[in-house]
Amino acid sequence: MTPLEILVAAVTGAPAPRIPIFCNLLDHGPRELGMAQQQYYANGEYVAAGQLKMRERYGHDNVWSLFYVGKEAELLGCNEILYAEDGPPNVADFVIKSYDDVARLEVPDDITAHPAWTETARCLKILKDEVGATHPICAYLTASTTLPALLMGMDKWMELLLTGPADVRDELLKKCSEFYQKEVAAYRAAGANVLVYSTPFGSTSFVGMKRFKDFSMPWMQLDLTPGGVGSIVYYCGMAPFNNVIQQVMDELKIGVYYISPLADLAEAKAIIGAKGLTCGVIDDIKMIGWTPEQTRAEVKRMCEIGMVDEHFLFGTGVMPLGVPEANIHAMIAAAFEYGTYKRD
Amino acid sequence: MLDSIIKAYNEAVFETDKEAAFDVVNAALASGMRAEDIVFKIVIPAVEEMMSNITRDPDANLAQHFMTAQIASEVTEKMLEKFEHPPEIIGRVVIGTAHGDLHSLGKRIVMGCLKALMVEVIDLGVNVPAARFVDEAVANAAQVIAVSAMMVHTATGENGARGVRQILRERGIEKQFRIVVGGAPYRFDNELYKTVGADGWAPDGVNASRMIVDLIKEVKAS
């Protein structure tokens, strides 16, 4: 079976030889090609080449079309990105500096015609041509309730959300939801087949349960209803969300959950069961200081919990550059070893 | 009467309702309560109550942390204008986000709580080089240097807390200051703060302020 077929089997419950194994290597791309970040991210061919080379080097299942998270802000007018040699690029210029800027914010009619989409499209075409038939191609899409943080900064967004004028807040959210809907359609059309829906406000670590129900849930429904939830992965930016999984399953019908390393994996698995796919996520920040043996032991522990009754995927967060290469190799080797189903 | 005011104020803070919190404070002032009593008998105990709530309540969340700090800071600022004598400041802290890091939410939560706890805060902003943390700490005779970092490379890099420690050591002034850190990477690895040379960390901005107050007292006592 191809890695893509293995992923589909994990979702549907069809028999497969092993679990899907995801390793999210983004910041490693420039190093892989021996380039500075700015040069690497300026050309979609480089990003695609970096992804394909790293997949060959480590042997995991997935590749990414994501350059860096701030790319979405560029599609909405951000002109300045702060590059670093040892970590991810950051938004350095917020599009929204005052509440008046919300009215001026323009969602492009066709985001695929925007110059900031050109290199993403180039990257996706290469990935689709090279591995689209056999491997999962991931895309990263920020929910309407979280995108404002990229446009105005998280503290200003919290201020607007919790104490600001409701009409300004709602106008911004409507624009962000419209952007999400256009973006997800563009990624689907370009060949991405794993759509990571990044929704930290879909975790009660960000807002309380009441605000989750009254605020986050309706906006998530607005984001997701037009395009549907096919290939969507529920991800809260590494924040735990076990206590809302059932509600999300009932109301949004999402089937795939990327569980926080801070959450109880066994509890998540018990809630999701055979109704969807539980993605166990290793704490890759701890991996910076672990030995390969410690890494293997953690992969084994997670597989033992998650593989019961199948419907399980092993994954990472956004792997930090500081994780020793030996640990990445150890992690993936262990995931293949412990993630193989023993069938009679 | 004080008990009912405290209860109403705490409920407003817990529900992240700034307007309701100010209504309680204004009603207390109208009834003749002194601004000093509002800060020391209502606002500061409410911050401390929230610290305990966060520790034991699994539903405690970022929005509550943010609003606790905002409300405490704004009420304190308004009440200070009405104080008969300036209050005694516990100590000073310089705070900023590490070089290369532009995330300011965590810093803002810590600052809001510290102001209410009568700590003077020197805000260095975002993207602060390690040397500037030290220079400002020396210039302002601070006891604590607080370095916020939301990304792994800014938390562990040479331009963050690790660099601050190195510079303090090189200048022979390590014992005059304590370094504290905060931000997402430390939540995923609770021992990471030691690796970067910090003296302490806290899992959230509200409890970070308590730790900073403790470290200020430690420096002053040494």
Side-chain angles (χ1 to χ4, degrees):
Chain A
M1 290 175 85
T2 66
L4 191 56
E5 288 168 339
I6 287 170
L7 175 62
V8 173
V11 175
T12 60
R18 63 168 174 85
I19 58 171
I21 298 164
F22 274 36
C23 181
N24 304 322
L25 297 164
L26 301 172
D27 307 340
H28 297 64
R31 191 167 73 185
E32 184 71 25
L33 298 195
M35 288 179 182
Q37 274 198 357
Q38 213 156 348
Q39 183 189 7
Y40 176 80
Y41 290 121
N43 189 330
E45 287 179 30
Y46 295 152
V47 176
Q51 285 295 315
L52 294 169
K53 275 189 143 191
M54 290 188 290
R55 208 211 61 73
E56 276 176 31
R57 176 196 291 276
Y58 296 108
H60 52 287
D61 288 339
N62 64 316
V63 291
W64 272 93
S65 61
L66 173 65
F67 288 37
Y68 44 83
V69 172
K71 201 78 182 157
E72 290 177 311
E74 290 181 284
L75 286 165
L76 286 164
C78 167
N79 289 315
E80 193 182 344
I81 296 292
L82 177 67
Y83 292 95
E85 290 310 315
D86 53 354
N90 260 263
V91 171
D93 176 45
F94 291 122
V95 175
I96 299 171
K97 296 181 178 67
S98 74
Y99 289 166
D100 291 341
D101 290 335
V102 172
R104 289 191 279 268
L105 180 71
E106 279 186 31
V107 178
D109 286 336
D110 176 5
I111 69 165
T112 65
H114 194 288
W117 177 262
T118 308
E119 295 306 321
T120 300
R122 197 192 309 273
C123 171
L124 268 161
K125 177 159 189 342
I126 294 167
L127 294 177
K128 188 180 171 190
D129 290 347
E130 294 287 327
V131 297
T134 53
H135 289 72
I137 300 174
C138 302
Y140 181 94
L141 301 112
T142 303
S144 59
T145 52
T146 300
L147 189 56
L150 288 176
L151 304 176
M152 62 194 306
M154 182 59 106
D155 62 331
K156 295 289 181 198
W157 168 229
M158 283 293 244
E159 192 176 284
L160 173 57
L161 170 63
L162 299 171
T163 66
D167 57 334
V168 176
R169 180 199 64 203
D170 290 348
E171 184 181 3
L172 177 57
L173 285 162
K174 273 181 201 154
K175 289 183 177 183
C176 288
S177 190
E178 181 193 343
F179 175 79
Y180 169 83
Q181 291 163 31
K182 288 180 174 175
E183 189 186 29
V184 77
Y187 271 111
R188 280 188 169 120
N193 48 25
V194 173
L195 306 165
V196 177
Y197 180 60
S198 177
T199 180
F201 285 81
S203 160
T204 57
S205 294
F206 274 69
V207 290
M209 186 58 86
K210 184 174 185 307
R211 208 177 292 269
F212 169 83
K213 289 177 179 170
D214 298 345
F215 166 74
S216 304
M217 184 59 84
W219 284 105
M220 290 195 291
Q221 276 166 333
L222 190 67
D223 289 349
L224 296 167
T225 300
V229 294
S231 306
I232 293 285
V233 179
Y234 194 81
Y235 166 72
C236 292
M238 304 299 273
F241 58 83
N242 282 5
N243 60 339
V244 300
I245 290 174
Q246 191 60 57
Q247 206 172 326
V248 173
M249 289 180 103
D250 292 343
E251 296 185 34
L252 298 178
K253 314 293 182 200
I254 290 176
V256 184
Y257 296 87
Y258 216 72
I259 306 302
S260 165
L262 300 177
D264 181 340
L265 179 58
E267 181 187 66
K269 176 75 185 191
I271 298 166
I272 299 163
K275 300 188 291 283
L277 178 65
T278 303
C279 307
V281 180
I282 196 165
D283 186 337
D284 46 26
I285 293 178
K286 280 188 179 160
M287 278 178 69
I288 295 171
W290 279 347
T291 61
E293 289 70 32
Q294 286 174 305
T295 305
R296 279 180 60 80
E298 177 62 2
V299 176
K300 181 172 185 280
R301 183 191 73 81
M302 291 170 62
C303 287
E304 284 171 355
I305 294 169
M307 287 171 67
V308 177
D309 299 328
E310 310 201 1
H311 291 276
F312 184 66
L313 175 153
F314 175 86
T316 69
V318 180
M319 186 74 78
L321 271 171
V323 174
E325 187 163 342
N327 284 359
I328 303 176
H329 283 297
M331 178 191 77
I332 290 174
F336 273 96
E337 181 181 340
Y338 299 117
T340 297
Y341 289 111
K342 295 175 180 61
R343 300 184 194 282
D344 297 329
Chain B
M1 179 186 160
L2 180 62
D3 287 347
S4 64
I5 296 171
I6 291 171
K7 187 168 176 287
Y9 182 83
N10 283 358
E11 279 173 6
V13 170
F14 191 79
E15 295 299 331
T16 67
D17 189 339
K18 188 166 89 171
E19 206 173 312
F22 268 96
D23 287 346
V24 173
V25 168
N26 290 332
L29 279 174
S31 72
M33 198 166 182
R34 294 166 63 238
E36 286 87 339
D37 287 339
I38 288 174
V39 171
F40 291 107
K41 292 181 180 171
I42 297 173
V43 177
I44 292 177
V47 172
E48 288 165 350
E49 173 69 15
M50 185 54 84
M51 289 170 184
S52 304
N53 275 341
I54 289 169
T55 308
R56 60 174 184 259
D57 178 7
D59 199 28
N61 56 76
L62 190 61
Q64 277 180 333
H65 303 177
F66 179 79
M67 287 308 295
T68 298
Q70 283 295 111
I71 294 169
S73 167
E74 287 183 34
V75 171
T76 302
E77 205 166 298
K78 289 244 182 303
M79 292 305 105
L80 285 176
E81 294 166 4
K82 301 178 191 298
F83 271 36
E84 288 172 19
H85 305 288
E88 188 184 342
I89 296 299
I90 290 175
R92 287 190 198 90
V93 54
V94 293
I95 189 168
T97 63
H99 187 65
D101 203 315
L102 306 171
H103 299 85
S104 55
L105 178 65
K107 174 172 75 73
R108 185 162 162 183
I109 294 172
V110 177
M111 284 169 49
C113 292
L114 285 174
K115 283 179 184 171
L117 295 172
M118 300 299 143
V119 174
E120 191 176 325
V121 182
I122 295 106
D123 179 15
L124 305 182
V126 297
N127 196 18
V128 181
R132 187 158 171 245
F133 277 105
V134 177
D135 292 343
E136 294 287 347
V138 171
N140 290 284
Q143 290 81 32
V144 171
I145 299 170
V147 185
S148 173
M150 275 299 289
M151 299 180 291
V152 174
H153 73 289
T154 56
T156 59
E158 295 300 325
N159 285 316
R162 203 189 291 269
V164 172
R165 172 64 69 197
Q166 178 67 21
I167 294 166
L168 289 177
R169 200 170 285 153
E170 284 167 5
R171 295 188 191 175
I173 52 176
E174 222 176 339
K175 289 184 180 165
Q176 294 175 36
F177 306 99
R178 297 290 182 272
I179 302 172
V180 300
V181 291
Y186 302 103
R187 299 193 69 213
F188 287 89
D189 183 351
N190 296 170
E191 297 297 306
L192 189 60
Y193 80 98
K194 292 178 190 164
T195 311
V196 302
D199 297 296
W201 81 288
D204 61 81
V206 180
N207 278 298
S209 59
R210 173 161 56 189
M211 179 193 56
I212 288 170
V213 167
D214 289 345
L215 289 173
I216 287 172
K217 289 175 182 167
E218 190 181 299
V219 172
K220 283 189 157 183
S222 63

